[in-house]
Amino acid sequence: MAKINPLRTFADKCLTYPHGLAMFLLTFVFRYKVKLVRTAGVKILDTDLKQVTFFQKNRTKVQNHIGGVHAAAMALLAESASGFVVGLNLPGDKLPLIKSMNLKYVKRSVGDITAVAHVTDKQILQMQSEDKGDLMVAVKVTDESGDEPVICEMNWAWISK
């Protein structure tokens, strides 16, 4: 039997609260665990535990030399969003690890950015049933204008703790 995932237990509990409070609590805990996310000011806007929406405000700490969100901040946002949904759906005795990130920067970002990552039921079943493995998590990163400044794919692996 799979070990209970403490992150999933916490997220399930949070989702019983009003939406704003739930997202505040999830963001707070995620920022506490991932220090760079706290420094960058990343927020969780929404989740149904299979899909998550992360948000990065275009602020001075994450800007590049032309005033847009830095490429590294976009990568952090995409990696965080995909890692969050993978981490939520793994059994508690498995450790998620980023294996590779494929990022293609296709245009300059305008304003704030949002990343949406999701896993399918088939991928969740794979994570629950295999002791170790890997999967590709698609992430859509969009800016204020609705364009996709970076095209992302994250390859996540997991192993037993």
Side-chain angles (χ1 to χ4, degrees):
M1 185 170 132
K3 187 176 175 194
I4 294 171
N5 179 337
L7 176 61
R8 179 59 178 248
T9 303
F10 179 74
D12 284 336
K13 177 70 175 167
C14 284
L15 293 180
T16 65
Y17 299 130
H19 186 264
L21 177 60
M23 295 309 109
F24 171 80
L25 291 171
L26 287 171
T27 298
F28 181 83
V29 168
F30 195 72
R31 285 178 175 179
Y32 178 78
K33 289 292 187 183
V34 185
K35 310 299 189 264
L36 185 56
V37 167
R38 178 178 36 196
T39 300
V42 171
K43 291 182 186 176
I44 300 173
L45 295 183
D46 192 36
T47 186
D48 65 1
L49 307 180
K50 290 183 184 180
Q51 178 172 301
V52 67
T53 304
F54 273 49
F55 174 79
Q56 175 65 66
K57 187 166 181 57
N58 183 6
R59 56 190 209 134
T60 306
K61 280 188 175 185
V62 297
Q63 285 181 345
N64 57 22
H65 62 288
I66 55 175
V69 175
H70 197 282
M74 285 189 239
L76 172 68
L77 192 70
E79 188 255 347
S80 297
S82 61
F84 186 79
V85 292
V86 169
L88 281 174
N89 290 291
L90 275 175
D93 60 346
K94 303 293 186 275
L95 181 67
L97 302 165
I98 188 78
K99 195 171 178 181
S100 67
M101 296 190 283
N102 184 8
L103 298 127
K104 293 179 186 169
Y105 296 94
V106 293
K107 69 178 302 235
R108 180 178 175 229
S109 71
V110 177
D112 305 335
I113 59 171
T114 304
V116 178
H118 71 279
V119 289
T120 64
D121 290 332
K122 184 178 177 182
Q123 288 174 317
I124 293 170
L125 183 63
Q126 181 185 355
M127 287 187 274
Q128 296 288 322
S129 61
E130 295 179 10
D131 281 338
K132 70 179 199 175
D134 70 298
L135 53 86
M136 295 300 287
V137 179
V139 183
K140 183 171 183 165
V141 177
T142 54
D143 62 14
E144 268 184 21
S145 68
D147 292 333
E148 211 171 337
V150 59
I151 298 168
C152 310
E153 262 191 346
M154 304 290 166
N155 188 0
W156 281 91
W158 63 92
I159 57 171
S160 295
K161 285 186 180 175

